[in-house]
CSV table of all heavy atoms in Angstrom, one decimal:
chain,number,residue,atom,x,y,z
A,152,ALA,N,8.1,-5.7,-1.0
A,152,ALA,CA,8.9,-6.1,-2.2
A,152,ALA,C,8.9,-5.0,-3.2
A,152,ALA,O,7.9,-4.3,-3.5
A,152,ALA,CB,8.2,-7.4,-2.8
A,157,LYS,N,7.2,-10.9,-7.8
A,157,LYS,CA,8.2,-11.9,-7.5
A,157,LYS,C,8.3,-12.3,-6.0
A,157,LYS,O,9.0,-13.2,-5.6
A,157,LYS,CB,9.6,-11.5,-8.0
A,157,LYS,CG,9.6,-11.4,-9.5
A,157,LYS,CD,11.0,-10.9,-9.9
A,157,LYS,CE,11.1,-10.6,-11.4
A,157,LYS,NZ,12.2,-9.7,-11.6
A,158,GLY,N,7.7,-11.4,-5.2
A,158,GLY,CA,7.9,-11.6,-3.7
A,158,GLY,C,7.2,-12.8,-3.2
A,158,GLY,O,6.4,-13.4,-3.8
A,159,CYS,N,7.6,-13.2,-2.0
A,159,CYS,CA,6.9,-14.2,-1.3
A,159,CYS,C,5.6,-13.6,-0.6
A,159,CYS,O,5.5,-12.4,-0.6
A,159,CYS,CB,7.8,-14.9,-0.2
A,159,CYS,SG,8.3,-13.8,1.1
A,160,PRO,N,4.8,-14.5,0.0
A,160,PRO,CA,3.6,-13.9,0.6
A,160,PRO,C,3.9,-12.8,1.6
A,160,PRO,O,3.1,-11.9,1.8
A,160,PRO,CB,2.9,-15.1,1.2
A,160,PRO,CG,3.4,-16.3,0.4
A,160,PRO,CD,4.8,-15.9,0.0
A,161,ALA,N,5.0,-12.9,2.3
A,161,ALA,CA,5.3,-11.9,3.3
A,161,ALA,C,5.6,-10.5,2.7
A,161,ALA,O,5.0,-9.5,3.1
A,161,ALA,CB,6.5,-12.4,4.2
A,162,CYS,N,6.6,-10.5,1.8
A,162,CYS,CA,7.0,-9.2,1.3
A,162,CYS,C,6.1,-8.7,0.2
A,162,CYS,O,6.1,-7.5,-0.1
A,162,CYS,CB,8.5,-9.3,0.9
A,162,CYS,SG,8.8,-10.4,-0.5
A,163,ARG,N,5.3,-9.5,-0.4
A,163,ARG,CA,4.4,-9.1,-1.4
A,163,ARG,C,3.4,-8.1,-0.8
A,163,ARG,O,3.0,-7.1,-1.3
A,163,ARG,CB,3.6,-10.3,-2.0
A,163,ARG,CG,3.2,-10.1,-3.4
A,163,ARG,CD,2.4,-11.3,-3.9
A,163,ARG,NE,3.2,-12.5,-3.8
A,163,ARG,CZ,2.6,-13.7,-3.7
A,163,ARG,NH1,1.3,-13.9,-3.8
A,163,ARG,NH2,3.4,-14.8,-3.6
A,166,PHE,N,5.9,-6.3,5.3
A,166,PHE,CA,6.1,-6.9,6.6
A,166,PHE,C,6.8,-5.9,7.4
A,166,PHE,O,7.5,-5.0,7.0
A,166,PHE,CB,6.8,-8.2,6.5
A,166,PHE,CG,8.2,-8.1,5.9
A,166,PHE,CD1,9.3,-7.9,6.7
A,166,PHE,CD2,8.4,-8.2,4.5
A,166,PHE,CE1,10.6,-7.8,6.1
A,166,PHE,CE2,9.6,-8.2,3.9
A,166,PHE,CZ,10.7,-7.9,4.7
A,179,SER,N,17.0,-7.0,1.1
A,179,SER,CA,16.3,-8.1,0.5
A,179,SER,C,15.5,-8.8,1.6
A,179,SER,O,15.8,-8.8,2.7
A,179,SER,CB,17.3,-9.0,-0.2
A,179,SER,OG,18.2,-9.5,0.7
A,180,CYS,N,14.4,-9.4,1.1
A,180,CYS,CA,13.5,-10.2,2.0
A,180,CYS,C,14.3,-11.3,2.6
A,180,CYS,O,15.0,-12.1,1.9
A,180,CYS,CB,12.4,-10.7,1.1
A,180,CYS,SG,11.3,-11.8,2.1
A,181,PRO,N,14.2,-11.5,3.9
A,181,PRO,CA,14.9,-12.6,4.6
A,181,PRO,C,14.4,-13.9,4.2
A,181,PRO,O,15.0,-14.9,4.3
A,181,PRO,CB,14.6,-12.3,6.1
A,181,PRO,CG,13.8,-11.1,6.2
A,181,PRO,CD,13.4,-10.6,4.9
A,182,LEU,N,13.2,-14.0,3.6
A,182,LEU,CA,12.6,-15.3,3.3
A,182,LEU,C,12.9,-15.6,1.8
A,182,LEU,O,13.3,-16.7,1.6
A,182,LEU,CB,11.1,-15.2,3.5
A,182,LEU,CG,10.6,-15.0,4.9
A,182,LEU,CD1,9.1,-14.9,5.0
A,182,LEU,CD2,11.0,-16.2,5.8
A,183,CYS,N,12.7,-14.7,0.9
A,183,CYS,CA,12.8,-15.1,-0.5
A,183,CYS,C,13.9,-14.4,-1.2
A,183,CYS,O,14.2,-14.7,-2.4
A,183,CYS,CB,11.5,-14.9,-1.2
A,183,CYS,SG,11.0,-13.1,-1.3
A,184,LYS,N,14.6,-13.5,-0.5
A,184,LYS,CA,15.8,-12.8,-1.0
A,184,LYS,C,15.5,-11.8,-2.2
A,184,LYS,O,16.4,-11.4,-2.9
A,184,LYS,CB,16.9,-13.8,-1.5
A,184,LYS,CG,17.2,-14.9,-0.5
A,184,LYS,CD,17.8,-14.3,0.8
A,184,LYS,CE,18.1,-15.3,1.8
A,184,LYS,NZ,18.2,-14.8,3.2
A,185,GLN,N,14.2,-11.6,-2.4
A,185,GLN,CA,13.9,-10.6,-3.4
A,185,GLN,C,14.2,-9.2,-2.8
A,185,GLN,O,14.1,-9.0,-1.6
A,185,GLN,CB,12.4,-10.6,-3.7
A,185,GLN,CG,12.0,-11.8,-4.6
A,185,GLN,CD,12.7,-11.8,-6.0
A,185,GLN,OE1,12.8,-10.7,-6.6
A,185,GLN,NE2,13.1,-12.9,-6.4
A,187,VAL,N,13.8,-5.6,-1.4
A,187,VAL,CA,12.6,-5.0,-0.8
A,187,VAL,C,13.0,-3.5,-0.6
A,187,VAL,O,14.2,-3.1,-0.6
A,187,VAL,CB,12.3,-5.6,0.6
A,187,VAL,CG1,11.7,-6.9,0.5
A,187,VAL,CG2,13.5,-5.6,1.5
B,545,LIG,ZN1,9.9,-12.3,0.4
Side-chain angles (χ1 to χ4, degrees):
K157 293 182 191 156
C159 66
C162 61
R163 210 182 302 159
F166 59 92
S179 58
C180 173
L182 296 175
C183 66
K184 310 297 179 200
Q185 286 295 321
V187 290

